[in-house]
Amino acid sequence: MKVVICSDNHGLIAPLEDILKLHSDADAFIHCGDNELPPEYMKKFEAVTGNNDYFYHYPESLVIEVKGVRFFITHGHQYYRNRVEGLSKDALNHHCDVACYGHTHIYNVESVRGVLCVNPGSLRYNRDNTAPCYAIIEGEKGNLKVTQHLTL
């Protein structure tokens, strides 16, 4: 299984196009919100709405399954304190193995309550002064590996 996770491109189209070309072998593409683009640009992505998606509406959260691995997807702006704790709890409530979120513009991967919580960072700018990036999850249920990838 290969799943590409991205977030927070804030209207930029080129990084999304690059990701689709570079990873045409992916089983799924996830976007964690703040794409600020009309749905025709997001057709290949499982996309949720972010706090800056004013003009185009996507679901607040999604649950998808890819080759037996369940993903809980949300932007993350709904969680104020203990963001990753809240995400892991909601992911467990939906029987998910992975929680994907954005909003912070900071790449982060951690396991909480047995849920792999992944923030792919931002495709536009990261708030920790690192390069724009996204994440890829590969493997199978019980043996998942997350890698960070810089945008071109």
Side-chain angles (χ1 to χ4, degrees):
M1 175 199 71
K2 178 179 179 180
V3 176
V4 178
I5 305 166
C6 62
S7 190
D8 295 281
N9 56 297
H10 292 280
L12 294 180
I13 298 167
L16 297 176
E17 291 174 340
D18 291 343
I19 284 170
L20 292 170
K21 286 178 194 170
L22 282 170
H23 305 288
S24 61
D25 61 335
D27 296 299
F29 296 92
I30 291 173
H31 195 290
C32 298
D34 278 357
N35 67 69
E36 299 183 45
L37 295 170
E40 56 264 24
Y41 288 101
M42 302 306 297
K43 286 180 183 173
K44 294 187 178 180
F45 290 86
E46 299 288 347
V48 295
T49 199
N51 59 305
N52 287 299
D53 289 318
Y54 301 116
F55 302 109
Y56 309 102
H57 297 284
Y58 298 89
E60 285 289 322
S61 64
L62 285 172
V63 174
I64 66 167
E65 187 169 322
V66 181
K67 296 193 174 185
V69 178
R70 289 177 56 88
F71 292 80
F72 176 74
I73 309 160
T74 191
H75 185 57
H77 64 289
Q78 311 89 328
Y79 304 90
Y80 297 104
R81 290 198 173 132
N82 302 317
R83 178 172 282 120
V84 179
E85 288 288 328
L87 285 161
S88 67
K89 183 179 176 183
D90 284 351
L92 284 173
N93 287 341
H94 288 89
H95 309 287
C96 291
D97 309 290
V98 180
C100 304
Y101 68 105
H103 186 59
T104 66
H105 292 230
I106 297 173
Y107 180 87
N108 186 54
V109 177
E110 59 186 291
S111 183
V112 178
R113 294 187 179 113
V115 175
L116 181 61
C117 299
V118 180
N119 185 323
S122 171
L123 291 176
R124 188 170 192 103
Y125 67 92
N126 281 326
R127 292 183 177 136
D128 61 357
N129 294 318
T130 59
C133 61
Y134 58 98
I136 294 179
I137 296 180
E138 294 178 285
E140 56 192 39
K141 188 171 180 153
N143 187 26
L144 299 173
K145 178 183 174 190
V146 184
T147 54
Q148 181 182 28
H149 294 261
L150 303 181
T151 60
L152 302 175

